Amino acid sequence: MRKGLLFLFLMMLLVMAGCTDDSQVNTEGEGTDGEKTGDIVIGFNQDISTIDPHGTNDVNAIQVRRFLFERLVDRELDMSYKPGLATEWTQDDENIWTFKLTEGVTFHNGSDFTAEDVKASLDRVVDPSVSAPTKFLFEMIESVEVVNDYEVKITTSYPFAPLPNNLAHAAASIMSKESIDADYQNALDLAESEVTLDEYYSLREAGGDEFQEVSEQIAEYTGEHITNEPDGTNYVQFESRAPGENIVFSRFEDYRGDSVVDNLTFQVIPEAGSMMAELESGGVNLTTPVDMSMMDRINSNDVIELVEEESLRTNYLGINTQKAPFDDVKVRQAIDFAIDREALQQGIYDGMASIPNSMVSSSVFGYNEELPLIEQDIDKAKEALSETDVADGFDATLWVEDTQALIDSAVYIQEQLRELNINVSIEQFEVAAFLDMLGNGGHDMFLLDFTASTVDADYLLSSLTLSTNAGFGGNRAFYENETLDGLLESARSATEDEVRLEEYTKIHNLLREEVPYLPLGHPNMTLAFNTDQLDGVNIDAAGYIRLEDVSFK
């Protein structure tokens, strides 16, 4: 009799298990406050090249890093400031800032967060051995002084009002000093250098030829340890990575706050239709950005919710100003006049973008609403081209990363430039290879986007146009203009907002005349998630996934 009852009990369990839909199971548990916890799978259309916060500056990589690392300054969903690893900060005078740090924070490796980690992280981002493309964001920092375990004093070489903006950027992520030391030691070992770690730090402090020699020896190896064993303080920690396939994070049990996320996976699914199929079936829980070709499918699906936010992003056409015939400003102006931004807005983004009047969107400090929108004028385009050595037209290549909206934009531009007898060949690249090739300067024209995630025009404009950033620093137009450099420095160092805004308007007007970059539009940020599984998923104006309010169904 007991065996019969046991058999019936086991059969009932098997039937119950068979009735469960695996796509809806998220290995759920309970958080500290009784909320349901679970796993989240995020679908990305591209892989990232490195987890190192001082590596590439692409959006997908930043998305991933933000879940591992924290910064001194954080942002609310509306992009206003909120405390991060710093509880408060004050500007003591024009060049000195004091940051009080959060106590009781633990790194994923088990070490305590202190001011030494802040100094090590900020010193590393400007180290030439690391070659961070975001180095310019912190070049005004003259010194980072450890006052005590939970206070740092940052001195800038000139007044720099947007410092908290820059310290909220992912490149200001705080890593443990232990992991930074291990990364340098790994680089010294791989370079077979006889210099010790302490000697390296001393040489870096002193500068000079001897440091330059060691720096060049280890540069190709820095970042290897950090990208394989990243060490942050946020609520998930690194678990594994299969390049081209996925990155997996797991719950960090010693996180000081609350989180409902047990495991977080970034799944690479390049094809838009496959991404939507996975989203609908629950194979992935959310995805961003949303391919515009999938909008009808999303709008007709009761399970999928679209989240949309006006953005800080600019999609643009970049032109290699050092390469003939594009070194002639009249050629660049002709191309600029020929492009129909309104057609791009409607045809590619289905109206979910704004037409630009400059390189920055209306949400960015430095935007001037009084500047006119950029309009197509074929007559002016033909007139400008007639004043050049290529008045009858020419052949050109247009490079683009394999993002559908940019590819579609490239086709639009290709068609529109035919009116000037400019024959454009389009070449597509995977993002990591694309950025590397652009840094080497072999291109004619290229399509990219830039998100002014600091909410300040300085970030976008300095990255794209500062002469010292030519190439891998972000200025892939290889544009050099001493007047513009001076205006950028003036805008950076001004202490009054009115003065900064005046300088940015001058910069916008100069760039509209010189056109090293052609702003095409400011597409809204988009995210789609499966409402059968999740609730409370958001996206901010920088395009970052926000899971602060997420809950499991």
Side-chain angles (χ1 to χ4, degrees):
M1 183 66 178
R2 288 180 180 174
K3 289 183 178 178
L5 288 172
L6 178 60
F7 174 77
L8 287 172
F9 179 69
L10 291 173
M11 287 300 294
M12 288 175 66
L13 288 178
L14 287 171
V15 170
M16 290 171 66
C19 293
T20 303
D21 178 1
D22 287 342
S23 71
Q24 305 300 322
V25 174
N26 284 305
T27 320
E28 294 165 354
E30 280 195 359
T32 55
D33 57 359
E35 287 187 272
K36 184 186 291 185
T37 67
D39 301 342
I40 294 178
V41 179
I42 298 173
F44 271 179
N45 61 359
Q46 295 175 332
D47 196 8
I48 69 170
S49 56
T50 176
I51 299 176
D52 184 352
H54 302 156
T56 56
N57 195 32
D58 57 291
V59 173
N60 278 8
I62 292 174
Q63 292 272 26
V64 171
R65 296 165 191 158
R66 283 174 54 84
F67 286 103
L68 280 182
F69 303 100
E70 296 178 278
R71 298 144 298 282
L72 293 180
V73 181
D74 207 348
R75 290 194 183 275
E76 300 283 4
L77 182 60
D78 66 1
M79 302 305 289
S80 60
Y81 294 140
K82 71 175 181 179
L85 289 175
T87 57
E88 59 180 287
W89 52 92
T90 55
Q91 187 171 8
D92 303 331
D93 65 28
E94 287 188 344
N95 292 41
I96 299 176
W97 298 71
T98 297
F99 290 80
K100 301 289 181 68
L101 307 182
T102 305
E103 299 185 31
V105 178
T106 305
F107 280 100
H108 298 155
N109 71 356
S111 64
D112 292 333
F113 162 70
T114 70
E116 292 289 351
D117 304 300
V118 175
K119 178 172 173 56
S121 298
L122 295 180
D123 284 349
R124 182 179 186 267
V125 71
V126 295
D127 186 337
S129 303
V130 176
S131 300
T134 46
K135 175 182 177 181
F136 71 94
L137 284 172
F138 311 99
E139 283 184 320
M140 75 295 299
I141 295 179
E142 193 172 86
S143 66
V144 181
E145 177 191 349
V146 175
V147 178
N148 56 53
D149 281 352
Y150 297 105
E151 185 176 329
V152 293
K153 194 177 292 292
I154 296 178
T155 301
T156 58
S157 55
Y158 53 84
F160 186 67
L163 183 63
N165 284 327
N166 291 15
L167 292 175
H169 190 278
S173 295
I174 304 302
M175 299 169 276
S176 68
K177 186 177 186 304
E178 290 181 14
S179 68
I180 291 173
D181 288 348
D183 188 71
Y184 280 122
Q185 187 61 63
N186 180 67
L188 289 166
D189 292 343
L190 290 175
E192 298 181 348
S193 173
E194 295 180 0
V195 173
T196 68
L197 182 61
D198 287 340
E199 288 171 342
Y200 175 80
Y201 285 144
S202 296
L203 288 171
R204 186 177 69 179
E205 183 71 24
D209 293 341
E210 190 175 356
F211 169 69
Q212 182 66 28
E213 182 179 349
V214 178
S215 177
E216 291 174 357
Q217 290 172 356
I218 70 171
E220 66 177 294
Y221 304 112
T222 55
E224 286 194 14
H225 174 84
I226 284 173
T227 203
N228 292 321
E229 299 181 43
D231 189 24
T233 58
N234 218 337
Y235 59 84
V236 288
Q237 60 188 349
F238 180 76
E239 193 69 30
S240 65
R241 181 184 182 191
E245 296 180 20
N246 60 52
I247 302 171
V248 180
F249 298 157
S250 61
R251 174 185 290 276
F252 177 46
E253 298 293 350
D254 291 331
Y255 179 63
R256 66 192 181 281
D258 295 325
S259 170
V260 297
V261 180
D262 290 327
N263 295 287
L264 186 62
T265 300
F266 297 88
Q267 189 71 40
V268 180
I269 306 174
E271 203 275 316
S274 298
M275 181 76 79
M276 280 304 304
E278 287 293 315
L279 186 62
E280 290 165 339
S281 68
V284 302
N285 307 117
L286 66 95
T287 182
T288 185
V290 178
D291 193 287
M292 291 295 109
S293 64
M294 293 295 105
M295 281 301 171
D296 288 342
R297 189 165 165 180
I298 289 173
N299 292 332
S300 63
N301 192 318
D302 293 337
V303 173
I304 308 302
E305 181 173 329
L306 179 71
V307 184
E308 186 179 357
E309 181 67 33
E310 289 189 8
S311 83
L312 302 166
R313 180 170 296 170
T314 301
N315 285 6
Y316 64 88
L317 174 68
I319 299 178
N320 190 340
T321 61
Q322 299 298 314
K323 193 173 183 181
F326 307 102
D327 53 348
D328 186 338
V329 68
K330 288 294 183 180
V331 171
R332 303 198 298 270
Q333 289 174 350
I335 293 170
D336 186 38
F337 283 128
I339 294 174
D340 186 348
R341 272 83 170 176
E342 188 171 350
L344 283 170
Q345 181 205 37
Q346 296 299 324
I348 304 299
Y349 296 102
D350 197 24
M352 297 169 62
S354 58
I355 297 173
N357 71 3
S358 66
M359 283 296 290
V360 299
S361 74
S362 60
S363 302
V364 176
F365 179 86
Y367 175 82
N368 186 338
E369 62 181 6
E370 295 180 3
L371 295 177
L373 297 180
I374 304 169
E375 297 181 347
Q376 183 187 41
D377 192 324
I378 290 297
D379 290 338
K380 285 185 178 180
K382 291 178 178 178
E383 180 183 351
L385 196 64
S386 70
E387 300 174 22
T388 72
D389 294 334
V390 287
D392 295 329
F394 57 94
D395 296 334
T397 57
L398 174 56
W399 289 4
V400 60
E401 65 171 283
D402 50 1
T403 299
Q404 195 59 49
L406 292 178
I407 294 169
D408 292 343
S409 297
V411 174
Y412 259 76
I413 291 168
Q414 181 185 52
E415 289 294 324
Q416 289 167 355
L417 293 186
R418 279 180 181 156
E419 291 202 45
L420 301 181
N421 202 26
I422 299 176
N423 304 306
V424 177
S425 299
I426 299 170
E427 298 181 17
Q428 297 174 218
F429 302 93
E430 181 273 328
V431 64
F434 180 55
L435 295 177
D436 191 54
M437 292 171 66
L438 287 175
N440 288 318
H443 54 283
D444 292 341
M445 302 183 290
F446 65 97
L447 279 176
L448 253 181
D449 55 54
F450 195 105
T451 303
S453 57
T454 63
V455 203
D456 192 289
D458 175 74
Y459 173 36
L460 181 149
L461 294 174
S462 292
S463 178
L464 296 186
T465 65
L466 203 59
S467 298
T468 52
N469 283 337
F472 291 101
N475 179 355
R476 300 178 180 96
F478 292 86
Y479 178 64
E480 297 179 2
N481 187 310
E482 290 183 1
T483 300
L484 184 67
D485 290 345
L487 288 170
L488 283 168
E489 185 169 343
S490 176
R492 278 184 151 200
S493 58
T495 56
E496 296 180 5
D497 286 351
E498 294 79 5
V499 176
R500 298 188 70 221
L501 290 170
E502 288 174 6
E503 298 300 274
Y504 286 133
T505 296
K506 293 175 186 176
I507 291 169
H508 297 324
N509 287 328
L510 181 57
L511 290 176
R512 291 300 308 128
E513 187 70 25
E514 292 279 299
V515 285
Y517 300 97
L518 287 62
L520 302 176
H522 307 296
N524 293 350
M525 298 301 184
T526 54
L527 175 152
F529 70 96
N530 188 310
T531 58
D532 276 352
Q533 300 169 317
L534 300 178
D535 194 13
V537 180
N538 283 302
I539 190 168
D540 63 27
Y544 299 145
I545 301 163
R546 305 300 291 258
L547 299 179
E548 292 94 326
D549 299 322
V550 72
S551 61
F552 291 91
K553 295 290 185 73

